[in-house]
């Protein structure tokens, strides 16, 4: 059984949406799939129309009360099973504080029960606490949903650091499977830059000693689609709610790519788009060189790059970055940067007109 932790400590990047709809798409491919909700917010549970208030056995009972997978499992679609969560799960970290081996409770259940599934997707909370550590200790792979925005990159280094520490101390088989871009808008320049930078970063790590040495950036992009936001309110996956939507097509394509990954391209053969700095554009999102350790977060490694204003990122798609653009006239200010009005030109002369001169003294007799 493949166990995949879907993880990103930044909220709102598409973790739960990916777990629900990728799981449904994999089930459509004939896989027996189990979805495990480890988030006290219970969003995955409600996504399939299960009311947390009516759940009798949940992942909270699995971690703290000795319940089994079979007792907590709820069938939600053909070949698709859900282990629901309740708000009590938020107290699990406190209740398990004195428990020996508390990071491996979920792993212990899996080894003891060996549930009859082909794939298990773990929906992790937006944090790097005990619940996430349980998921990483039990999983063999990590799937990282990422929004193609500059700020979404800031926590990637910390996430990789956590994966590396778990790999060294708890779960030596843990690897990063790859990154899937969600809420993707292909018409924006910034989205393309982020994709190329992330792809280049993982390509350079290929074959190295890190847990992400075999990671890839999925070619399938999950496009921004309002139907994906609507389907949870109907208690359904996108494949049942609106099978003809772009969201359904994207997750079916992602499931196919997930089950049949293409060959990994060596770093030297990866073609990357020219960086924004090559176009004289300041809002580059260039990833740092690969380090032997991820303990220096990606955001920290970027500290040597020029600072970028928030306005440039918000309006990155509207900034002209083409190298074919006509050169600016001498003295022309960058339209993206607020400048003071031009001072009146000073007349040439031996004295500096910009300095305040004292009034003329009265003539002497």
């Amino acid at each position: 059984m493949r166990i995949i932790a879907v993880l990103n400590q930044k909220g709102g990047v598409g973790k739960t949406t990916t777990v629900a709809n990728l799981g449904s798409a994999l089930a459509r491919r004939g896989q027996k799939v189990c979805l495990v909700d480890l988030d006290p917010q219970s969003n995955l549970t409600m996504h399939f129309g299960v009311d947390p208030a009516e759940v009798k056995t949940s992942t909270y009972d699995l971690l703290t009360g000795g319940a089994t997978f079979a007792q907590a499992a709820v069938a939600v679609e053909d070949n698709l099973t859900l282990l629901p969560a309740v708000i009590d799960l938020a107290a699990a970290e406190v209740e398990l504080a004195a428990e020996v081996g508390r990071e491996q409770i979920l792993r212990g259940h899996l080894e003891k029960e060996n549930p009859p599934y082909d794939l298990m997707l773990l929906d992790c909370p937006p944090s790097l606490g005990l619940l996430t550590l349980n998921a990483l200790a039990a999983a063999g792979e990590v799937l990282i949903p990422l929004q193609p925005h500059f700020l979404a990159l800031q926590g990637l280094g910390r996430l990789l650091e956590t994966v590396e520490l778990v790999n060294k101390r708890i779960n030596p088989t843990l690897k990063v499977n790859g990154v899937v871009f969600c809420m993707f808008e292909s018409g924006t320049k910034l989205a393309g830059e982020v994709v190329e930078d992330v792809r280049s970063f993982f390509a350079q790590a290929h074959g190295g000693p890190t847990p992400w040495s075999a990671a890839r950036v999925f070619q399938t992009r999950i496009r921004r689609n309002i139907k994906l936001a609507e389907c949870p309110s109907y208690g359904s996956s996108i494949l049942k709610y609106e099978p003809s939507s772009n969201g359904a097509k994207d997750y079916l394509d992602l499931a196919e790519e997930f089950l049949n990954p293409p060959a990994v391209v060596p770093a030297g053969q990866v073609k990357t788009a020219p960086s924004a700095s090559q176009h004289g554009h300041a809002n580059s999102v260039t990833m740092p060189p690969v380090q032997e350790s991820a303990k220096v977060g990606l955001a920290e490694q970027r500290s040597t790059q020029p600072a970028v204003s928030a306005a440039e990122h918000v309006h990155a798609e509207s900034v002209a970055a083409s190298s074919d653009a006509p050169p600016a006239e001498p003295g022309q200010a960058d339209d993206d940067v607020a400048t003071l009005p031009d001072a009146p030109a000073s007349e040439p002369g031996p004295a500096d007109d910009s300095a305040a001169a004292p009034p003329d003294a009265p003539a002497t007799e």
Side-chain angles (χ1 to χ4, degrees):
M1 178 175 62
R2 291 176 65 183
I3 305 174
I4 302 97
V6 182
L7 171 64
N8 192 328
Q9 78 274 22
K10 186 180 187 303
V13 296
K15 292 188 300 296
T16 299
T17 299
T18 296
V19 171
N21 296 301
L22 176 60
S24 180
L26 290 169
R28 295 286 183 98
R29 291 284 192 269
Q31 302 291 309
K32 293 182 178 179
V33 182
C34 179
L35 310 180
V36 181
D37 193 350
L38 292 174
D39 189 347
Q41 299 177 90
S42 309
N43 288 338
L44 180 62
T45 300
M46 292 184 287
H47 197 297
F48 287 98
V50 178
D51 186 354
E54 298 179 0
V55 171
K56 295 182 179 179
T57 306
S58 67
T59 50
Y60 169 78
D61 302 296
L62 187 71
L63 294 174
T64 64
T68 65
F69 274 87
Q71 292 171 338
V74 177
V76 290
E77 290 182 8
D78 293 341
N79 289 334
L80 188 63
T81 301
L82 169 70
L83 266 65
V86 295
I87 191 61
D88 294 344
L89 192 59
E93 294 199 30
V94 177
E95 295 183 25
L96 297 173
E99 187 78 18
V100 177
R102 57 188 176 274
E103 299 89 358
Q104 303 188 55
I105 295 176
L106 181 61
R107 179 179 178 177
H109 279 284
L110 289 168
E111 292 175 347
K112 180 180 179 181
E113 300 179 42
N114 191 22
Y117 304 110
D118 299 316
L119 290 161
M120 181 174 288
L121 301 180
L122 310 178
D123 185 22
C124 301
S127 67
L128 298 177
L130 180 60
L131 297 174
T132 298
L133 288 179
N134 263 270
L136 294 177
E141 306 169 40
V142 176
L143 179 64
I144 305 174
L146 192 66
Q147 191 176 5
H149 288 179
F150 175 76
L151 293 178
L153 293 176
Q154 301 307 294
L156 188 57
R158 181 65 62 184
L159 189 155
L160 294 177
E161 175 187 347
T162 301
V163 171
E164 185 179 44
L165 291 174
V166 173
N167 172 268
K168 289 181 177 180
R169 300 181 182 181
I170 301 176
N171 184 3
T173 64
L174 182 66
K175 304 294 180 185
V176 177
N177 181 297
V179 171
V180 56
F181 282 98
C182 301
M183 293 175 278
F184 191 79
E185 296 176 290
S186 58
T188 65
K189 177 177 174 59
L190 182 61
E193 288 181 350
V194 172
V195 170
E196 291 301 333
D197 289 337
V198 173
R199 181 186 288 120
S200 176
F201 173 79
F202 284 113
Q204 291 178 51
H206 180 65
T210 60
W212 53 91
S213 60
R216 66 186 188 276
V217 177
F218 284 87
Q219 295 298 318
T220 303
R221 315 277 189 251
I222 308 302
R223 289 167 286 181
R224 187 180 292 276
N225 182 231
I226 189 60
K227 298 299 181 182
L228 288 172
E230 291 175 0
C231 63
S233 63
Y234 290 85
S236 172
S237 69
I238 189 64
L239 300 179
K240 291 185 68 176
Y241 173 67
E242 191 60 63
S244 62
S245 66
N246 287 337
K249 295 175 183 177
D250 291 344
Y251 275 109
L252 285 171
D253 290 344
L254 180 62
E256 180 64 28
E257 187 177 356
F258 185 84
L259 293 174
N260 302 293
V264 177
V265 180
Q269 300 180 17
V270 173
K271 296 181 180 180
T272 58
S275 66
S277 59
Q278 290 175 303
H279 295 306
H281 186 27
N283 67 340
S284 174
V285 205
T286 306
M287 300 284 280
V290 177
Q291 306 291 328
E292 293 186 359
S293 169
K295 293 184 179 180
V296 179
L298 299 183
E300 297 171 349
Q301 295 180 37
R302 294 175 55 83
S303 62
T304 59
Q305 300 182 4
V308 182
S309 68
E312 284 181 289
H313 289 296
V314 173
H315 302 288
E317 63 270 22
S318 65
V319 178
S322 172
S323 58
D324 297 330
E329 294 296 331
Q332 181 179 352
D334 188 347
D335 292 337
D336 290 333
V337 182
T339 58
L340 295 175
D342 292 337
S346 59
E347 295 293 335
D352 185 358
D353 293 337
S354 62
D360 294 336
T364 59
E365 293 295 335

